[in-house]
Amino acid sequence: MSATSSTTSASTPKAAPRRTRSIEKDIRIADQPGFVLHSYPYKETSLIVDVFSRDHGRIALVAKGAKRPHSKLRGVLQTFQPLSVGWSGKAEVRTLTAAEWVGGLLPLEKSALLCGFYLNELLVKLLARDDPHPALFDHYVSALNQLAHDEPPAIVLRKFERALLKETGVSGSWQICTATRNPLIADINYVIDPERGPRPARASDIWPQVAGKTLLDMESEDYSHATTQMQSKFLMRFLLAHHLNGAPLNTRQILIDLLQL
């Protein structure tokens, strides 16, 4: 081979490898149990809907045309109605493709309705998006059902608040003392360290002090004792305020003013 042909061959640029373009299909979800937590207007005719779904957690969906007078979605996307929901997309805000009312729950009325809005506000402010919590979803359905059947609101809310902290992983068991690693003793007073759990109360503590019996009752969802009801109310206010970094819960203030909950 001549020097000329060798040079020509070496200097000829090689063809760039052809890029294979991978086409990612939109994620499509169908027939997912869910509830509307909150919605707000988007553009002229649509809504952004915050949905709590059983298997996909809290998600944001754009409901296109939902504000139009004759939209089928207009009467469906209501709070506290069990829905079967479908959506598509990969972005933070997906597109609602279907929403059907499936029934099975009585409507909330009067004070129960206000308690329902409190549950929704807790979920919106404490649940990260796209973080599935199927057990918490079941707790939510149970709480709505109990409120609709006139169960004592204070007890229903305490049970749900406790389930919320446990299922989201910010609170562990309240059966073992973190200082001694021994089981709690019913007639000893404790405080709950928000990041660690129960420890014996000290005279200098400014955190709410609760009896060991109260904590054990809360673990077994037994709120029959008046002291448990009272102490659990102030304990949950303290813990929720901590995990919300002081952000106010608007519906709870209304509940406190009207119902002393």
Side-chain angles (χ1 to χ4, degrees):
M1 182 181 292
S2 66
T4 303
S5 63
S6 175
T7 303
T8 303
S9 176
S11 61
T12 302
K14 294 182 179 179
R18 181 177 297 177
R19 294 181 180 178
T20 57
R21 185 179 177 183
S22 60
I23 300 175
E24 295 184 9
K25 294 182 179 180
D26 280 349
I27 297 173
R28 291 186 173 271
I29 303 297
D31 303 323
Q32 176 64 204
F35 287 84
V36 171
L37 298 177
H38 176 66
S39 64
Y40 53 91
Y42 177 68
K43 297 185 177 179
E44 292 185 1
T45 62
S46 302
L47 293 172
I48 298 291
V49 187
D50 211 342
V51 169
F52 184 31
S53 67
R54 189 180 192 280
D55 299 317
H56 299 267
R58 188 170 71 90
I59 53 173
L61 303 174
V62 58
K64 295 181 179 179
K67 290 169 59 182
R68 291 185 177 130
H70 302 293
S71 170
K72 294 181 179 179
L73 295 174
R74 192 179 180 92
V76 174
L77 298 176
Q78 304 295 323
T79 51
F80 316 123
Q81 291 192 15
L83 302 177
S84 176
V85 185
W87 64 85
S88 66
K90 304 185 296 293
E92 182 179 356
V93 179
R94 286 92 164 182
T95 300
L96 180 71
T97 56
E100 295 181 0
W101 179 71
V102 296
L105 284 180
L106 294 175
L108 299 185
E109 298 178 345
K110 300 179 180 179
S111 61
L113 182 61
L114 189 55
C115 290
F117 282 119
Y118 172 67
L119 300 184
N120 285 7
E121 188 177 7
L122 282 177
L123 291 171
V124 168
K125 291 187 174 179
L126 283 169
L127 276 191
R129 287 247 172 93
D130 300 304
D131 189 10
H133 290 285
L136 182 60
F137 183 90
D138 293 341
H139 279 289
Y140 178 75
V141 175
S142 177
L144 294 183
N145 191 49
Q146 291 173 49
L147 290 170
H149 284 87
D150 297 322
E151 295 290 328
I155 295 177
V156 175
L157 298 187
R158 295 299 88 77
K159 288 180 179 180
F160 184 79
E161 290 165 345
R162 179 70 184 121
L164 176 60
L165 295 186
K166 290 177 74 172
E167 295 297 335
T168 54
V170 299
S171 177
S173 170
W174 289 350
Q175 296 177 315
I176 302 295
C177 175
T178 58
T180 64
R181 306 310 303 170
N182 293 324
L184 298 190
I185 300 174
D187 57 359
I188 288 182
N189 280 351
Y190 297 87
V191 296
I192 299 291
D193 183 325
E195 305 299 330
R196 298 180 181 177
R199 65 161 173 77
R202 307 180 188 125
S204 58
D205 281 326
I206 60 173
W207 294 343
Q209 297 191 18
V210 295
K213 179 181 182 341
T214 292
L215 298 178
L216 294 172
D217 284 348
M218 293 178 73
E219 286 296 276
S220 62
E221 296 192 338
D222 179 3
Y223 290 85
S224 58
H225 198 279
T227 300
T228 297
Q229 294 181 30
M230 179 186 66
Q231 290 187 346
S232 63
K233 174 172 66 176
F234 293 109
L235 175 61
M236 295 312 296
R237 283 187 196 175
F238 161 70
L239 292 174
L240 289 171
H242 173 83
H243 293 297
L244 286 164
N245 296 315
L249 285 165
N250 301 320
T251 47
R252 185 174 63 188
Q253 189 55 52
I254 298 173
L255 287 169
I256 291 172
D257 293 341
L258 294 181
L259 306 172
Q260 295 300 306
L261 295 177

